């Protein structure tokens, strides 16, 4: 599996390519750049960028998840280990009968970690978004804080809203917003700014992963 740093670079390259394919022709903005003209380019750009961010966060989560059992085997307890157990582990069943064999404490925790890893792997597989809700679902169980600054938080919300509008409806004139209340066209310059702010949020995720203990 690629390193988190490599995954971030792949993400940057992909966002650059999406900008080149769909938005660069609209910069600088001109009066003739109306929603009827940029509609499909903006919608394609946002939906594909959202998919790239979603994949990146899943890769980060999976990368850390795969390290947790290895850390434990090497007698290293990390914040990620504790977070995973707190998120998914059931209360261990300790045999009290003198006739039954009792697992070692190490084996009890090892088995719990294996079960937790399976549960979070399913969560990653079933992930369907890059909203704050899904970011928390992907990151907190592996010990990463899913907190972002106001600019990144706003961008994440806007991109999730735009993706929902564009992927689940016709969204004429690239209008996005609440379900059946989408009335605001998303111009190319704003779409580009939103995606760049989301990219900065992903850089923060990479930094958090690098600094984790």
């Amino acid at each position: 599996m690629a390193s988190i740093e490599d995954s971030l670079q792949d993400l940057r390259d992909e966002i650059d390519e999406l900008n080149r394919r769909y938005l660069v022709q609209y910069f600088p903005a001109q009066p003739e750049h109306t929603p009827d003209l940029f509609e499909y380019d903006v919608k394609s750009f946002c939906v594909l960028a959202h998919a790239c961010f979603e994949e990146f966060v899943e890769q980060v989560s999976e990368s850390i998840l795969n390290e947790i059992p290895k850390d434990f085997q090497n007698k290293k307890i990390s914040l990620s280990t504790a977070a995973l157990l707190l998120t998914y582990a059931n209360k261990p069943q300790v045999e009290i009968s003198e006739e039954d064999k009792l697992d070692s404490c190490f084996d009890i925790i090892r088995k719990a970690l294996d079960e937790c890893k399976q549960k979070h792997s399913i969560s990653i597989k079933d992930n369907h978004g890059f909203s704050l809700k899904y970011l928390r679902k992907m990151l907190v169980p592996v010990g990463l804080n899913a907190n972002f600054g106001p600019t990144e938080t706003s961008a994440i919300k806007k991109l999730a809203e735009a993706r929902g509008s564009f992927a689940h409806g016709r969204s004429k004139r690239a209008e996005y917003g609440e379900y059946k209340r989408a009335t605001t066209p998303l111009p190319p310059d704003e779409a580009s700014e939103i995606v760049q702010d989301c990219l900065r949020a992903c850089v923060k995720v990479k930094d958090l992963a690098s600094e984790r203990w």
Side-chain angles (χ1 to χ4, degrees):
M1 186 174 183
S3 70
I4 294 174
E5 289 78 8
D6 289 341
S7 295
L8 179 63
Q9 186 57 55
D10 289 343
L11 174 62
R12 284 184 167 128
D13 292 344
E14 191 69 12
I15 296 301
D16 286 345
E17 179 62 17
L18 292 177
N19 267 295
R20 186 188 70 79
R21 283 180 177 253
Y22 294 109
L23 296 189
V24 71
Q25 66 267 33
Y26 301 111
F27 304 130
Q30 302 295 328
E32 62 269 22
H33 293 164
T34 62
D36 291 337
L37 180 64
F38 63 64
E39 172 188 342
Y40 290 103
D41 289 319
V42 166
K43 290 195 291 186
S44 297
F45 174 74
C46 289
V47 170
L48 292 173
H50 182 277
C52 292
F53 293 135
E54 179 182 326
E55 181 181 31
F56 171 74
V57 173
E58 291 167 1
Q59 289 172 338
V60 171
S61 188
E62 185 176 11
S63 178
I64 296 173
L65 180 66
N66 289 334
E67 293 300 316
I68 291 174
K70 299 175 187 177
D71 287 346
F72 185 70
Q73 290 288 349
N74 292 323
K75 300 183 180 181
K76 176 183 176 183
I77 300 297
S78 66
L79 184 63
S80 301
T81 305
L84 188 70
L85 287 168
L86 284 171
T87 302
Y88 294 109
N90 298 316
K91 183 178 179 180
Q93 298 297 312
V94 179
E95 298 294 341
I96 59 175
S97 171
E98 293 183 2
E99 284 74 33
D100 293 326
K101 180 181 177 181
L102 179 65
D103 284 338
S104 68
C105 292
F106 183 89
D107 283 339
I108 290 172
I109 297 175
R110 178 184 58 78
K111 291 177 181 178
L113 282 174
D114 287 343
E115 293 174 358
C116 291
K117 182 182 177 183
Q118 291 177 5
K119 291 176 182 177
H120 192 58
S121 293
I122 293 171
S123 182
I124 294 172
K125 181 181 177 182
D126 292 342
N127 182 52
H128 296 295
F130 181 71
S131 66
L132 293 172
K133 169 186 173 181
Y134 289 111
L135 281 166
R136 291 173 179 178
K137 188 177 179 182
M138 289 296 96
L139 300 178
V140 172
V142 292
L144 299 187
N145 297 318
N147 297 320
F148 303 93
T151 301
E152 290 82 8
T153 297
S154 176
I156 291 167
K157 290 180 178 179
K158 287 180 179 178
L159 184 62
E161 200 170 59
R163 184 260 184 185
S165 296
F166 300 159
H168 301 293
R170 293 178 64 193
S171 297
K172 300 300 291 181
R173 295 168 50 85
E175 293 177 344
Y176 79 108
E178 294 182 25
Y179 180 61
K180 292 186 177 181
R181 296 181 182 179
T183 58
T184 305
L186 183 62
D189 57 343
E190 187 177 347
S192 179
E193 184 178 337
I194 287 171
V195 166
Q196 287 303 312
D197 287 337
C198 287
L199 182 56
R200 278 186 277 275
C202 288
V203 172
K204 180 174 182 179
V205 170
K206 188 274 295 182
D207 291 340
L208 289 170
S210 300
E211 297 164 0
R212 70 186 181 89
W213 57 273

